[in-house]
Amino acid sequence: MHALRQALDVCPDKSPAEGLLKMAMTGLAVLQQNSSSHAGEILEAVAWVVSVSRDCLIPDAAIDAAAIRKAASRLRQLLRSEDVRSPSAAPAEERVTVAAAQAPTPLGLEIDADLLNEFAAESRDRLAGAEAALLALEKRPADSEQINTVLRAFHTIKGAAGFLGIASIERLAHLSENLLICAREGRLVITGRNADMALRSCDTLKDMIGSLRAGNLNDVAVAPGDLESALESISDDGSQVAAAAVAAQAPATAETASDSEKNQPSGDSGIDATARVSIQRLDALVDMVGELVISHSIVAQAPDLGSAAAGSVVHVSKIIRQLQDLAMGLRMVPLKGTFQKMSRLVRDLANKNGKQIRLETLGEETEIDRTMVETIADPLVHMIRNAVDHAIEPPPQRKAAGKDPIGTITLRACHSSGNVIIEMSDDGCGLNRPRILAKAVECGLIEPGAAVSDEQVHELIFHPGLSTAQKVTDVSGRGVGMDVVKRNIEALRGRVEVSSRSGQGCTFTLRLPLTMALAEAMLVRVGGNRYLVPSIAIEHVFRPAAEAISTVAGRGEMVSHRGKLLPIFRLSRLFEVRDAAGDPTKALLMVVADRDRRCVLMVDELVAQQQVVIKSLGKAFENLLGISGGAILGDGKVGLILDIGGIVQLAHEKARAAA
């Protein structure tokens, strides 16, 4: 004990060694005061802890964090199994060490913000994976791999919380782990009430972890008593559940894992090693790369650049392009996590509304700019809540209409023409046009009996305060959902499109830019102005023959290209540019695509293809139709970035106005 005190005196404050030495002293104090059946194990654990702490005191030595956690966890477990007497009854010189056995954090790391942040981040990731596995288990209760995934998540969080001394999180994770152990051993299945408890455990652990504050572990939220009691009863009674009762608990429409699924390798195999990086540092890196791109563009286009330097500039251009791609990749994250949250939302809302609804996801590996992920979550939540509450009919009504009693909501994502397309469709009743019009008249948005197109009706649902719900519920009916959808999407330079078929369903399409930072674009000239066209939207550029040009009544100018007639949109007319080419045969025609729509843009000249840093034009110009942003060009001037979908819409609006 004396030797440990001497080592502690020279130990740096708040180091891992300090906490380990205090734990070792506590173990020896317990052995001195109490006769223990675990004396040999405690002594062995103390020796191990001392050995690990010795390594921590060696200058410049590599610290094995896993060994520290394992040693501390083992000794802590043994000390907790002892009936340690009150510190006040112990000799004065031993009170501190005995009290350490009851202290919440044995390693003295309670104020280590980095450690807590790492624990919180890793735990959130594991809980996200556990939630996905639990949702899968409701469909395939016998899938042992999914059971093990959830079990590993709870077990790891329990161990980490124990290492940090966060007793409330450790206890709930332990009780939840017991539930999954019973499932793994075949004593119960994770469906119905058991699935609800497991999912609620995930939610509660998220809340508890979110309540962590660096430097103060006393602020951690406490798990609800009813949840702990329910888990305790499952854990205590699980061993007594008969096999017949377990079989009766499983649903009769329940799937089992197919042979191919059983033979799939573990989800941990083949995954690249990753490292957590501060978001602030990542954003700073991307910003600096953007500034580097602008500076390089200015240097490369300098008129006094000598031929000797030109070769070096080309080489630097290749390096900067690779650096750009890497920086862009760092910002991109898959939509899988967002879609997974929607799966949970559909499950809970369907149960609450007494409906049977499945969620199908396609393209969940589609990547989107990290800064946009959180912004699109709210629109998706509002659309799904509306679909569950309004669109999907109750099972008896669906059956009477000849539909599958189980409704389907589909989330689909893909890349198209430089955009990220996210579709949410349902097979419900579709938008109720008469009811929407009636509410619009009631709100004073349109005149009674006014002729309103389907497109205008669809636009009305985004008006704040307009709701077709027959009663207000805690899910919908207040008219504050769809306006949030439109506002959030437009804030990302995107737009929302709606299509609906009565009795068959509705589809909401969100069109978003691929990234908020960089874009590959073709610089074109129209008269004295220059514009940037997203390269991914360009299919072909050609100079037409005179006989390929025609004028179709009511449809304007058309060009025959590769066996198809395509409309010609003159950028000079759309943006009122003077001194632009008037003869299509002396200009260039650029075939561009906006998903399944194609058109031709008429420009004077192709200047160069380049990567540009997208800049916002400010609030005064954020709603310009056909323009998605701006970029600083090589000569320091600003070029406008065209939005192809907006260009098509702008052309049609001008054509209607002229007609």
Side-chain angles (χ1 to χ4, degrees), residues 526-553:
V526 180
N529 293 1
R530 290 176 297 175
Y531 301 95
L532 291 157
V533 182
S535 298
I536 198 168
I538 302 173
E539 291 191 350
H540 190 56
V541 179
F542 66 101
R543 178 162 287 163
E547 58 271 18
I549 306 297
S550 61
T551 302
V552 180

Side-chain angles (χ1 to χ4, degrees), residues 100-324:
Q102 300 168 334
T105 306
L107 294 186
L109 295 172
E110 61 273 22
I111 61 171
D112 190 332
D114 291 339
L115 191 63
L116 286 177
N117 289 336
E118 182 180 355
F119 165 70
E122 290 184 354
S123 297
R124 282 194 293 266
D125 289 345
R126 292 187 180 279
L127 288 172
E131 186 176 79
L134 285 169
L135 294 174
L137 274 175
E138 286 197 295
K139 299 177 182 178
R140 300 187 300 272
D143 192 334
S144 60
E145 182 57 34
Q146 302 293 356
I147 292 175
N148 288 331
T149 296
V150 186
L151 181 58
R152 283 193 296 267
F154 287 140
H155 181 76
T156 303
I157 292 173
K158 180 186 75 171
F163 167 67
L164 291 172
I166 312 174
S168 56
I169 293 179
E170 181 185 17
R171 173 170 172 75
L172 179 58
H174 173 69
L175 293 173
S176 305
E177 179 187 28
N178 287 343
L179 174 66
L180 270 297
I181 288 176
C182 290
R184 184 178 65 179
E185 295 175 354
R187 293 185 268 134
L188 54 77
V189 290
I190 304 299
T191 57
R193 177 174 176 268
N194 293 335
D196 290 340
M197 279 195 295
L199 287 169
R200 190 180 172 197
S201 295
C202 286
D203 292 340
T204 305
L205 285 170
K206 289 178 188 176
D207 292 340
M208 296 171 76
I209 291 167
S211 69
L212 284 172
R213 294 293 182 269
N216 188 357
L217 300 184
N218 296 324
D219 290 340
V220 181
V222 180
D226 63 323
L227 175 60
E228 288 198 351
S229 299
L231 288 170
E232 284 177 337
S233 66
I234 289 290
S235 301
D236 293 340
D237 300 337
S239 59
Q240 301 171 7
V241 177
V246 174
Q249 187 177 0
T253 62
E255 305 172 18
T256 58
S258 64
D259 291 338
S260 60
E261 289 172 327
K262 291 178 180 177
N263 293 329
Q264 288 296 321
S266 170
D268 294 334
S269 62
I271 294 188
D272 293 336
T274 59
R276 297 189 182 277
V277 180
S278 166
I279 295 299
Q280 289 77 13
R281 292 182 179 180
L282 178 60
D283 288 342
L285 171 63
V286 174
D287 289 342
M288 291 304 296
V289 170
E291 295 302 320
L292 177 62
V293 170
I294 295 173
S295 300
H296 172 265
S297 178
I298 294 174
V299 171
Q301 298 182 35
D304 56 349
L305 185 66
S307 58
S312 298
V313 169
V314 171
H315 180 65
V316 171
S317 299
K318 295 179 180 179
I319 297 175
I320 291 179
R321 176 61 60 86
Q322 293 175 350
L323 183 59
Q324 272 186 289

Side-chain angles (χ1 to χ4, degrees), residues 290 385 413 440 637 644:
R385 286 166 71 95
K637 295 182 180 180
I644 302 304

Side-chain angles (χ1 to χ4, degrees), residues 6 41 61 64 83 122 124 160 223 256 258 286 303 325 330 341 444 557 574 594 643:
Q6 288 182 321
E41 294 177 86
D64 188 344
D83 183 17
E122 290 184 354
R124 282 194 293 266
T256 58
S258 64
V286 174
D325 292 340
L330 292 175
K341 294 176 183 177
E557 290 179 292
L574 295 178
D594 178 43
D643 171 30

